[in-house]
Amino acid sequence: MERVLVTLRCQPMGYWAVSVYEVLAHQVSNYYYTSNRSSGISRCDTVPTGTGGGKGRGEDKRGRRGAGRREPPSRSPAGSMAPLLLLLLLLLGQPLLGAPGQGSGTWARFARLPYPQDQLFLHDTFPDGFLWGVGSAAYQTEGGWRQEGKGASVWDTFAHRPTTPPGSGFTGPTGGDVASDSYNNLFRDAEGLQRLGVSHYRFSLAWARLLPNGTAPLNPAGLAHYDRLLGRLRALGVEPVVTLYHWDLPQHLQDTFGGWASPVLPELFRDYAELCFRHFGGQVRYWLTMDNPYVVAWHGYGTGRLPPGVRGGPRLGYRAAHHLLQAHAKVWHLYNDHFRPTQRGKVSIALSSHWIKPQSMTDKNIKECQKSLDFVLGWFAKPVFIDGDYPESMRSNLSSLLPEFSEDEKKYIKGTADFFALSFGATLSFQLLDSHMKFQQLESISLRQLLYWISCEYNNPPVFIVENSWFVSGSTKRDDAKYIYYLKKFIMETLKAIRYDGVNVFGYTVWSLLDGFEWHRGYSIRRGLFYVDFQSHDKKLMPKSSVLFYQKLIEKNGFPPLPENLPIEGVFPCGFAWGVVDNYIQVDTTPAQFLDPNVYVWDVHQTKKLIKVDGVFTSKRKRHCVDFAAIRLQVSLLQEMHVTHFHFSLKWSLILPLGNLSLINHTLVHYYRCFASELLRVNITPVVALWQPMAENQELPVSLAKYGAWENPETIQAFVEYAKFCFTSLGDYVKFWITMNEPSVKNLTYTAGHNLLKAHAKAWHLYDKEFRRSQKGKISIALQADWVEPACPFSRNDQEVADRILEFDIGWLAEPIFGDGDYPHVMRAWLHRRNSVDLYNFHLPSFSEDEKKLIQGSFDFFALSHYTTTLVGWEKEDALKYDHYLEVQMINDITWLYSPNRAAVVPWGLRKLLKWVKSKYGDIPIYVMANGIDDDQNMVHDKLRVYYIQNYINEALKAYALDNVNLQGYFVYSFNDRTAPKYGLYGYVANQYQPKPSMEHYREIIDKNGFPGPDTPEVLCPEEIALCTECHFFRTRKSLLAFISFIFVAFIVTIFFITYYSKRVERRYK
């Protein structure tokens, strides 16, 4: 094969990492995304909608672009937005000015963003100077609960109770007594920070460690401990972000005053804060007064689920919140008035929130979502950031329960934050959010939408994400893939909020540095980047895979575009097979009206119908292929698509209903013959599979399915006889055979697979010996081959799992045929191990030497079907997605794009698969026999499939052009929705086929033979000559042709002699 010139085309980093020929968003939407990166301009009421497409230049089918000389890839610059469009939106747009209730436009806006582009992963970097950090809380990690004069906190008391309140979820009698023992391992934690390379570390001061009773006297040991910590951070160049109060109220204040239910607490909190500012303020630039006051007030004093465990009901919960807000305001004013001029720091309050989405996009549901956020986040955010008072929705619904602020208090509380400190993740979401505060709407984990809502609602404040992550099981040790993919999602959403939405986020904090005590969930989950063995004495920090992930992310300041993520320009070779798949073609053998010998009379006066005349018949003509209307329709649709190949499967169970030649469905065989001949007539090559398993009887004849199917060795010979019949009956029309199409290894026993391989090999050798010379075709097997990727790319254990699954899923049937004639060594070794240690008895049969020779090399090409990519790991995290037999955990990357049926769209998986096949089985011809995705049938523009086809084909081009994979064809799955609902390039509505945009997009790619660019040499491929199907008429009637030829020659000779003698007679008379 010739190779091609390929060009990498860069795109604007602020736009989506999509292919260069992607259907782009409407110009306004395009501006919206690209311009916001640099200007930060956004409008809360601006909703970019619609998509548009562009036509590229290309050749028609008969002048298709071909391959030129292959040269090193080069990059071409991307275009920029029109200056006039930029000026227009600058004039029309307004800087984001928030106001209470303005965030309600968030749901409609995000529902109407361009799909799927808006959901794609964004490869870009964060702004220069962006803050990357980690955090921890004193009670979760410090331990040393009675060490060196520390007083008891409400959490100490709560954890030591013999029983805990119902529904608290708290486990274990010791709580945070020791936890991660950070109090005694300050330098250990500092080494972890140094390894990560973070710019800041958020930690909290234990109020009861500094003031054991909550008030004077001071504990010098506690003061010295935090001095040492701050000094170490200063030596490492790590910025401290210090929380004054993270839920661990001194127990003495709870016992003496009633805790936050008392109006005395705000003043005591101010005194505690003044101590901290005086002693530590010179080393601290960012202060947080308190963390998540919603949890403290509602669950500490309302429900009693958390310390101090007071079940005071809503009224007491709202009163505690009232005092928390007053306390925060006092501390902010204290710092602003007395410490800011010299220390030049900033103060805020860490507010936690969930995200909520409407059950349906109605005004009522959206108002309920707005109310939900008001009741949780707005409860504290609106007084601080807007007007010093509670949200209107709370005041109107809770007038008798909600305390009131005086006008002076409102002025005092308003504006008491220098930035918006946001906590989002597993502490509140789906855990501590009371169900009635969802207002019958659906909780979600969309950080990006929450950030946009905050910007709209609270006047576009600078946002510091001070806590964010998810969790893994408490049994998970070092390879925390689930944690990584949640981090990846949250960080990517933060990046989109900055680049696409103009949200002013300046820092991000992963929670947490190390495993610790997780509040109401005890030690049942882990949230640390570093693993801690809580049973060990020294409590060493062991880096998890997430450490490497976060470390590299910090180094790169985000997700910069990589060459392998960029689409390329180039074309496929001449003769490349462009195809489409239909598992089973529509078979309609109803005879045409022209074959009906009856005579009819039209009753024009009464019934207006045709009436058959009994006893009167016309002469009956012979059947022709054109009599099958269904064939004409399907072939015309394929012509419209411009494909060169069409792949479908025969129905063994219908052709030979009894499984042998004693009963043959000649009508169906004739239909298949006609279908293939009509394809050839219009220059489309039929690619025919002898057998494809389906749900009912595996598509085997009933007699075979009834007696063991492929478990029965007799099925082997039955298949060979069936194959011989098909070769004989259809071989003159079919030159591209598949013995077995996508045999499902998931539902295949080892014995059945053994027999299936032998049946394939015998059919291949049958064709090779008896039919290849005369029919000049090719034949192989088509295997389903989805890519398997290690969930943790840094984990050797995960890589071993991925390799094992590939061998079981693909190598099981591929290795005997394309490899050494036997099953993969990995399979045999694994099954031997499992059989020796478990109660399993999985017997993998053995081939004799003759059988190995029979099977090895029984192929003409490698045909594979590829649909998606799967992530696998070895750490057991989710029992529902864990395969005990192969010891593999299935993982989801929640940043991937998913179809309605939850199939992951991972284009690069195809390229990796093709490279793997080449590296394992050599430079053999490869055909991608099926590649497709389901889509929502209600989506008129089937945008997901357009994206899927575009990018999977581009990855196939990379494999061919950059990796030198001998790729010779690509087939889209599937032809139409009638035979494969939701997968078709043609819709099927009201008995009519309708081309979808994805069909037209695929046709455009076919016409261009790939993705030609300005630097791609134009090579016109020679026109493919269609086989003369009519010639078959003459080939099968040689005797008749000989007789006609004899008569014609005799006639010519007779004419010659008559002419000759006539002329002689004339000359004689003359």
Side-chain angles (χ1 to χ4, degrees):
M1 285 192 188
E2 295 180 87
R3 294 286 162 181
V4 301
L5 172 68
V6 178
T7 305
L8 287 172
R9 173 174 287 183
C10 297
Q11 294 173 276
M13 290 169 60
Y15 203 68
W16 310 287
V18 297
S19 181
V20 289
Y21 295 98
E22 179 69 5
V23 177
L24 298 177
H26 187 273
Q27 284 187 333
V28 173
S29 302
N30 196 357
Y31 164 79
Y32 171 84
Y33 284 130
T34 54
S35 64
N36 280 350
R37 294 187 60 246
S38 56
S39 66
I41 293 175
S42 177
R43 294 171 61 193
C44 290
D45 56 348
T46 298
V47 183
T49 60
T51 58
K55 296 288 185 181
R57 61 186 181 90
E59 309 295 337
D60 61 20
K61 186 178 179 183
R62 298 188 180 276
R64 192 176 295 134
R65 289 182 180 271
R69 179 171 60 89
R70 180 174 180 270
E71 298 180 9
S74 61
R75 298 189 178 185
S76 60
S80 60
M81 297 306 299
L84 288 178
L85 181 60
L86 178 62
L87 178 61
L88 175 65
L89 289 196
L90 283 172
L91 293 174
L92 294 178
Q94 301 173 8
L96 186 68
L97 296 176
Q102 196 167 345
S104 60
T106 302
W107 292 275
R109 174 188 183 274
F110 279 89
R112 291 152 56 187
L113 290 178
Y115 175 84
Q117 292 90 340
D118 185 68
Q119 295 186 20
L120 300 180
F121 193 86
L122 174 61
H123 291 278
D124 199 353
T125 56
F126 284 80
D128 293 340
F130 192 81
L131 302 178
W132 295 104
V134 289
S136 67
Y139 186 76
Q140 290 186 281
T141 60
E142 277 189 359
W145 78 286
R146 301 171 74 174
Q147 194 170 340
E148 295 183 327
K150 177 186 176 293
S153 73
V154 291
W155 266 98
D156 292 319
T157 304
F158 191 81
H160 294 151
R161 289 183 180 184
T163 59
T164 54
S168 70
F170 176 76
T171 58
T174 57
D177 288 2
V178 179
S180 316
D181 201 20
S182 288
Y183 184 75
N184 297 302
N185 290 278
L186 186 151
F187 285 90
R188 175 204 67 179
D189 294 355
E191 287 176 7
L193 295 170
Q194 188 174 23
R195 176 165 184 168
L196 286 168
V198 294
S199 58
H200 70 272
Y201 177 46
R202 179 195 170 189
F203 64 94
S204 71
L205 306 174
W207 190 346
R209 191 177 297 282
L210 290 170
L211 299 172
N213 292 321
T215 58
L218 173 69
N219 177 19
L223 200 67
H225 168 74
Y226 293 117
D227 268 331
R228 286 194 301 271
L229 175 57
L230 289 168
R232 184 59 185 153
L233 293 178
R234 183 171 62 253
L236 295 175
V238 175
E239 186 84 51
V241 178
V242 181
T243 308
L244 293 171
Y245 168 61
H246 201 128
W247 305 5
D248 48 354
L249 183 73
Q251 183 63 42
H252 180 75
L253 298 183
Q254 180 64 35
D255 295 339
T256 305
F257 303 104
W260 290 108
S262 169
V264 175
L265 258 289
E267 191 62 35
L268 296 178
F269 184 62
R270 181 196 178 282
D271 294 343
Y272 161 60
E274 184 175 4
L275 166 72
C276 298
F277 292 155
R278 290 191 185 283
H279 281 278
F280 309 126
Q283 305 177 71
V284 179
R285 193 157 59 111
Y286 293 100
W287 289 97
L288 299 173
T289 56
M290 59 187 66
D291 181 88
N292 202 342
Y294 165 85
V295 169
V296 175
W298 191 253
H299 291 302
Y301 294 87
T303 67
R305 287 183 62 188
L306 297 179
V310 179
R311 298 186 209 174
R315 186 178 299 277
L316 190 62
Y318 292 126
R319 187 194 306 167
H322 203 69
H323 297 150
L324 284 164
L325 278 167
Q326 291 172 330
H328 159 76
K330 283 181 179 289
V331 171
W332 187 89
H333 282 286
L334 168 70
Y335 189 86
N336 190 61
D337 295 343
H338 300 286
F339 295 97
R340 192 189 301 274
T342 56
Q343 296 180 1
R344 303 184 184 279
K346 296 182 178 181
V347 180
S348 188
I349 178 173
L351 300 180
S352 185
S353 183
H354 61 305
W355 181 248
I356 198 86
K357 61 182 182 181
Q359 295 210 32
S360 60
M361 288 296 292
T362 64
D363 289 343
K364 179 182 177 182
N365 285 341
I366 290 175
K367 287 180 181 178
E368 295 298 284
C369 289
Q370 180 78 8
K371 188 189 299 183
S372 176
L373 293 175
D374 281 346
F375 270 62
V376 179
L377 178 58
W379 184 3
F380 300 92
K382 183 174 175 289
V384 171
F385 289 93
I386 299 297
D387 59 5
D389 202 0
Y390 298 115
E392 180 60 33
S393 60
M394 293 186 72
R395 293 173 60 207
S396 60
N397 284 273
L398 305 169
S399 57
S400 62
L401 297 175
L402 200 63
E404 293 187 2
F405 291 114
S406 67
E407 290 303 317
D408 288 341
E409 286 177 323
K410 290 178 185 179
K411 293 177 182 178
Y412 191 72
I413 294 172
K414 176 184 176 182
T416 55
D418 301 320
F419 54 91
F420 197 110
L422 176 65
S423 170
F424 183 78
T427 301
L428 180 62
S429 297
F430 297 96
Q431 292 294 320
L432 293 176
L433 177 66
D434 270 14
S435 58
H436 76 273
M437 288 191 178
K438 300 177 187 179
F439 295 97
Q440 300 181 337
Q441 305 308 308
L442 304 174
E443 197 170 355
S444 175
I445 54 170
S446 177
L447 175 57
R448 178 186 171 190
Q449 294 185 44
L450 176 61
L451 289 169
Y452 184 80
W453 185 89
I454 289 170
S455 290
C456 290
E457 195 78 6
Y458 302 119
N459 204 20
N460 194 20
V463 178
F464 193 173
I465 299 173
V466 295
E467 175 183 346
N468 180 235
S469 74
W470 208 243
F471 62 88
V472 293
S473 166
S475 62
T476 299
K477 293 182 173 60
R478 305 287 294 279
D479 291 329
D480 52 344
K482 174 184 171 183
Y483 187 89
I484 287 176
Y485 290 113
Y486 272 94
L487 272 189
K488 183 180 173 185
K489 169 185 168 63
F490 291 136
I491 294 172
M492 185 264 291
E493 289 194 345
T494 303
L495 181 60
K496 284 185 176 181
I498 295 171
R499 296 306 191 192
Y500 291 171
D501 309 328
V503 180
N504 183 14
V505 183
F506 67 89
Y508 180 88
T509 310
V510 168
W511 201 268
S512 65
L513 170 65
L514 68 169
D515 291 334
F517 175 75
E518 290 301 331
W519 306 118
H520 61 295
R521 302 191 70 174
Y523 297 101
S524 64
I525 63 171
R526 294 176 180 268
R527 296 183 67 192
L529 293 169
F530 286 90
Y531 174 80
V532 176
D533 181 356
F534 297 111
Q535 304 302 319
S536 67
H537 176 71
D538 54 6
K539 303 289 191 299
K540 287 183 179 179
L541 293 192
M542 291 179 279
K544 302 180 188 178
S545 293
S546 53
V547 166
L548 295 175
F549 167 79
Y550 194 46
Q551 181 186 55
K552 291 182 179 298
L553 186 142
I554 293 173
E555 288 176 0
K556 298 176 181 178
N557 198 32
F559 310 100
L562 301 174
E564 56 265 32
N565 295 329
L566 299 173
I568 66 170
E569 294 173 342
V571 292
F572 290 92
C574 290
F576 190 78
W578 291 105
V580 69
V581 186
D582 200 355
N583 287 341
Y584 295 103
I585 59 174
Q586 178 194 349
V587 175
D588 184 358
T589 57
T590 303
Q593 61 182 7
F594 304 108
L595 298 177
D596 189 352
N598 296 293
V599 175
Y600 298 83
V601 175
W602 185 13
D603 182 1
V604 297
H605 298 292
Q606 297 181 7
T607 64
K608 309 294 184 180
K609 296 180 180 179
L610 293 174
I611 301 173
K612 186 170 68 173
V613 179
D614 295 332
V616 180
F617 302 96
T618 62
S619 59
K620 190 174 182 180
R621 75 165 175 81
K622 192 172 182 180
R623 288 175 178 248
H624 298 291
C625 289
V626 293
D627 293 327
F628 296 118
I631 292 179
R632 295 199 306 271
L633 175 59
Q634 292 178 84
V635 171
S636 67
L637 295 176
L638 292 168
Q639 279 185 282
E640 184 183 13
M641 200 182 299
H642 296 183
V643 293
T644 62
H645 290 66
F646 179 54
H647 174 31
F648 63 94
S649 301
L650 304 177
K651 287 200 171 186
W652 183 4
S653 62
L654 296 182
I655 294 175
L656 301 179
L658 300 181
N660 54 49
L661 300 179
S662 63
L663 179 60
I664 301 172
N665 188 339
H666 289 288
T667 302
L668 181 58
V669 174
H670 176 65
Y671 185 91
Y672 284 134
R673 187 183 297 122
C674 286
F675 198 101
S677 67
E678 288 299 299
L679 288 173
L680 290 172
R681 186 178 62 81
V682 297
N683 210 24
I684 297 176
T685 301
V687 181
V688 179
L690 296 172
W691 173 73
Q692 176 165 346
M694 297 297 284
E696 186 176 359
N697 294 327
Q698 301 181 54
E699 196 44 52
L700 295 170
V702 176
S703 58
L704 297 177
K706 185 177 180 181
Y707 293 101
W710 288 107
E711 295 274 343
N712 188 346
E714 294 182 4
T715 305
I716 299 173
Q717 190 56 38
F719 180 77
V720 175
E721 291 177 1
Y722 162 63
K724 184 173 184 179
F725 172 77
C726 293
F727 297 153
T728 303
S729 304
L730 304 173
D732 287 327
Y733 304 94
V734 180
K735 311 300 179 186
F736 200 139
W737 290 99
I738 301 294
T739 55
M740 298 155 180
N741 193 52
E742 298 186 22
S744 175
V745 296
K746 304 294 184 185
N747 303 316
L748 206 61
T749 66
Y750 294 128
T751 301
H754 200 70
N755 291 333
L756 187 146
L757 283 167
K758 289 191 283 187
H760 154 77
K762 288 186 175 184
W764 187 89
H765 284 284
L766 169 69
Y767 188 85
D768 189 55
K769 293 176 181 178
E770 298 185 23
F771 296 94
R772 190 188 299 275
R773 181 174 299 176
S774 60
Q775 297 181 1
K776 296 179 171 54
K778 54 187 175 183
I779 183 170
S780 194
I781 187 172
L783 305 176
Q784 181 166 339
D786 288 334
W787 181 244
V788 180
E789 183 79 3
C792 289
F794 321 107
S795 168
R796 184 176 301 175
N797 290 331
D798 282 6
Q799 184 63 59
E800 289 177 0
V801 170
D803 293 340
R804 180 163 67 246
I805 300 304
L806 285 171
E807 294 294 355
F808 271 83
D809 284 359
I810 306 173
W812 176 8
L813 299 180
E815 186 66 27
I817 298 171
F818 302 94
D820 60 6
D822 200 359
Y823 296 115
H825 298 298
V826 171
M827 280 188 73
R828 288 204 181 277
W830 180 260
L831 292 176
H832 176 74
R833 176 194 157 194
R834 294 308 305 263
N835 291 338
S836 63
V837 299
D838 294 331
L839 298 177
Y840 298 107
N841 186 19
F842 296 111
H843 174 64
L844 188 62
S846 298
F847 294 114
S848 66
E849 290 303 316
D850 288 340
E851 287 173 335
K852 289 181 182 179
K853 293 177 182 177
L854 176 77
I855 297 172
Q856 185 181 19
S858 57
F859 68 91
D860 295 331
F861 51 88
F862 195 112
L864 59 90
S865 300
H866 175 84
Y867 302 99
T868 188
T869 292
T870 304
L871 292 172
V872 296
W874 72 278
E875 290 259 26
K876 184 177 180 180
E877 176 68 31
D878 183 352
L880 296 176
K881 296 181 179 179
Y882 187 79
D883 185 333
H884 293 272
Y885 168 51
L886 293 175
E887 295 183 1
V888 56
Q889 177 70 62
M890 304 299 174
I891 302 287
N892 288 333
D893 183 340
I894 55 177
T895 66
W896 284 352
L897 189 63
Y898 286 87
S899 73
N901 285 348
R902 300 302 298 163
V905 179
V906 192
W908 52 259
L910 175 59
R911 181 184 178 188
K912 287 198 171 188
L913 173 67
L914 294 172
K915 290 171 65 177
W916 182 83
V917 171
K918 178 187 175 183
S919 67
K920 193 166 179 61
Y921 302 117
D923 190 28
I924 58 178
I926 300 176
Y927 289 86
V928 178
M929 296 303 297
N931 179 237
I933 195 74
D934 65 285
D935 205 349
D936 191 340
Q937 289 178 303
N938 295 325
M939 295 181 66
V940 179
H941 301 295
D942 73 331
K943 300 172 185 177
L944 178 61
R945 187 174 294 101
V946 170
Y947 171 81
Y948 183 97
I949 291 173
Q950 168 82 19
N951 288 276
Y952 272 82
I953 295 177
N954 198 266
E955 290 297 321
L957 179 61
K958 291 178 186 178
Y960 162 72
L962 303 179
D963 307 325
N964 295 311
V965 173
N966 188 4
L967 184 63
Q968 297 195 357
Y970 172 89
F971 292 67
V972 167
Y973 180 84
S974 157
F975 180 22
N976 62 75
D977 282 344
R978 182 175 184 180
T979 53
K982 297 185 179 182
Y983 284 85
L985 295 179
Y986 283 91
Y988 188 73
V989 180
N991 296 324
Q992 296 289 325
Y993 291 98
Q994 299 174 350
K996 300 179 182 179
S998 53
M999 188 284 286
E1000 298 169 356
H1001 190 69
Y1002 184 44
R1003 181 175 61 194
E1004 184 178 344
I1005 294 173
I1006 293 173
D1007 290 343
K1008 295 178 179 179
N1009 203 28
F1011 310 95
D1015 300 325
T1016 305
E1018 281 194 52
V1019 177
L1020 294 179
C1021 295
E1023 180 180 346
E1024 298 176 5
I1025 306 300
L1027 295 175
C1028 176
T1029 56
E1030 288 76 8
C1031 297
H1032 182 72
F1033 173 85
F1034 300 102
R1035 289 200 304 270
T1036 57
R1037 292 165 174 81
K1038 294 180 181 178
S1039 299
L1040 177 61
L1041 286 173
F1043 176 73
I1044 293 174
S1045 299
F1046 172 76
I1047 296 298
F1048 179 74
V1049 171
F1051 175 75
I1052 295 297
V1053 171
T1054 302
I1055 295 297
F1056 172 77
F1057 280 110
I1058 290 173
T1059 305
Y1060 174 75
Y1061 282 106
S1062 297
K1063 289 182 178 180
R1064 287 190 61 183
V1065 170
E1066 279 184 28
R1067 287 198 296 271
R1068 185 180 300 169
Y1069 281 109
K1070 288 180 180 179

